[in-house]
Amino acid sequence: MEGEASFVHVPDTENILMDSNEDHLRTEIKKMKDQCTSLNHDADKYEKEKNDSLAFAKKLQDKVDKLQRSITEEEAHFKDKDDSYEKNIKAIWEENQGLKKQKEELEQTIDKVKENIEKLEKVSSAGTERKMVFKGKSLNKIPENGLVVKHRIVYPVRGGTALITFEKPEDASNIIQKERIEVTIEECRVFVQAKPVELMLLDSLNVDMSLSRKKILISNLPPSLSEDILLDKLEIFFCKSKNDGGEVENREFLPDSRNVILTFCNEKVVPQLLEKKKFKVHFGNSTQEVHVTPSLDGDIKQFQMKYVECNRTVLITGIPDIKDTDDLRDLLEIYFQKPSNGGGEVEALIYCPEGQQALAIFEDDNEE
């Protein structure tokens, strides 16, 4: 083997380098592909999440829009309700003001009615004892209405009798207990009888009262004018339309209070007169402001009567007509005024001679 040339294989460096670079590139490309695949996968994932987020955001926006619409509708609804409530509150307030005004008017009307009721003649109430007494008043004739109210009883006094009212009830009682009394009148001796006086009075009275629709009560009239002049002047004044009046159907004068009641043909006249209340009426040479108030109509539903014995008045009967009326009256008063005869201080006495008649007026006895 000596003398032969030896062969040594020298590798191809360039080729080795190229092979090495290709492997490296393949590895890098593979890495890049893997990274690209991962990035695409992440991109798809992010795109899906993005779409999901957008869809969720859209749902939220839809809910927000729906809620906003609901809020707007509620606000409009509540605004309408507020407007309605304000209108209702205003209407209620106006109605309340109207009711207050009506209440004040009714209270004024009630006060006027109470005043008028107080002016009416009073009657006995149930269960109330009334003492009646003759106070010396008499009439020449029976009044048209028969009974003068306010506990004024018209009592007929027959001829040959006398009514004597003592100041003290015990004096009247002493005389009544004697029954038959011997009375010395100058030279004459007469026998008279003493009796208690019994009157029939109302024990209870049930009356339905209502405001008249066609009548008015006129008060504050001139005290000096006669009944006929007052009635004529008032009818002339209140029948004229310029005075808010109308045709007068009837007129009535109340002597105790000197008031007048006018009744109109048309009931529409009364409210306008009551609303004005006061009128200036000419009475001849003077002008008087008269007051117009409601008139009451009464309907008696039920009543009861009872007998009451007068505790201070005595009826003397059997008196002969032996002297002049005034002289005999004075002699009777002198006799019954003496304590020695069982009498006492005489407050009032009325004597009616035989063949005549008189009327005595009994009123409430205010003395205890």
Side-chain angles (χ1 to χ4, degrees), residues 85-102:
Y85 288 152
E86 287 181 2
K87 291 180 181 178
N88 290 338
I89 291 171
K90 183 178 180 181
I92 292 172
W93 184 84
E94 291 176 351
E95 182 180 2
N96 189 37
Q97 294 299 114
L99 290 174
K100 284 183 178 179
K101 185 177 180 181
Q102 290 181 13

Side-chain angles (χ1 to χ4, degrees), residues 122-137:
K122 298 179 181 179
V123 296
S124 300
S125 59
T128 302
E129 293 295 330
R130 295 288 183 177
K131 295 179 180 179
M132 304 298 294
V133 63
F134 168 65
K135 295 187 175 181
K137 296 182 181 179

Side-chain angles (χ1 to χ4, degrees), residues 299-323:
D299 183 16
I300 297 177
K301 295 296 184 182
Q302 184 180 5
F303 67 92
Q304 291 181 351
M305 307 296 292
K306 70 174 181 179
Y307 281 100
V308 174
E309 185 175 305
C310 302
N311 67 334
R312 295 198 295 122
T313 303
V314 178
L315 174 63
I316 305 297
T317 62
I319 304 173
D321 189 10
I322 58 176
K323 290 190 70 67

Side-chain angles (χ1 to χ4, degrees), residues 1-114:
M1 291 293 295
E2 287 183 13
E4 290 182 6
S6 62
F7 174 78
V8 177
H9 177 72
V10 178
D12 190 346
T13 305
E14 184 177 354
N15 290 332
I16 293 172
L17 288 174
M18 288 182 63
D19 293 336
S20 175
N21 287 335
E22 287 179 1
D23 293 337
H24 178 73
L25 286 174
R26 287 190 187 96
T27 302
E28 290 297 325
I29 290 171
K30 186 177 183 303
K31 286 182 179 179
M32 290 294 182
K33 286 183 178 180
D34 292 340
Q35 289 180 355
C36 182
T37 301
S38 178
L39 288 174
N40 288 333
H41 179 73
D42 290 341
D44 292 339
K45 180 181 177 181
Y46 293 148
E47 183 68 22
K48 183 177 181 302
E49 290 180 353
K50 174 187 174 183
N51 293 333
D52 291 342
S53 297
L54 290 175
F56 182 72
K58 187 175 183 304
K59 288 180 180 180
L60 286 179
Q61 186 63 43
D62 291 341
K63 286 184 178 180
V64 170
D65 293 342
K66 184 177 180 181
L67 184 61
Q68 186 64 42
R69 286 195 300 272
S70 176
I71 292 173
T72 304
E73 291 174 357
E74 289 292 331
E75 287 178 348
H77 177 68
F78 286 131
K79 185 177 183 303
D80 293 339
K81 278 191 174 181
D82 289 341
D83 294 341
S84 175
Y85 288 152
E86 287 181 2
K87 291 180 181 178
N88 290 338
I89 291 171
K90 183 178 180 181
I92 292 172
W93 184 84
E94 291 176 351
E95 182 180 2
N96 189 37
Q97 294 299 114
L99 290 174
K100 284 183 178 179
K101 185 177 180 181
Q102 290 181 13
K103 179 185 176 185
E104 291 174 356
E105 292 175 352
L106 285 174
E107 287 176 347
Q108 293 175 359
T109 303
I110 289 171
D111 290 339
K112 291 176 183 177
V113 171
K114 286 181 179 179

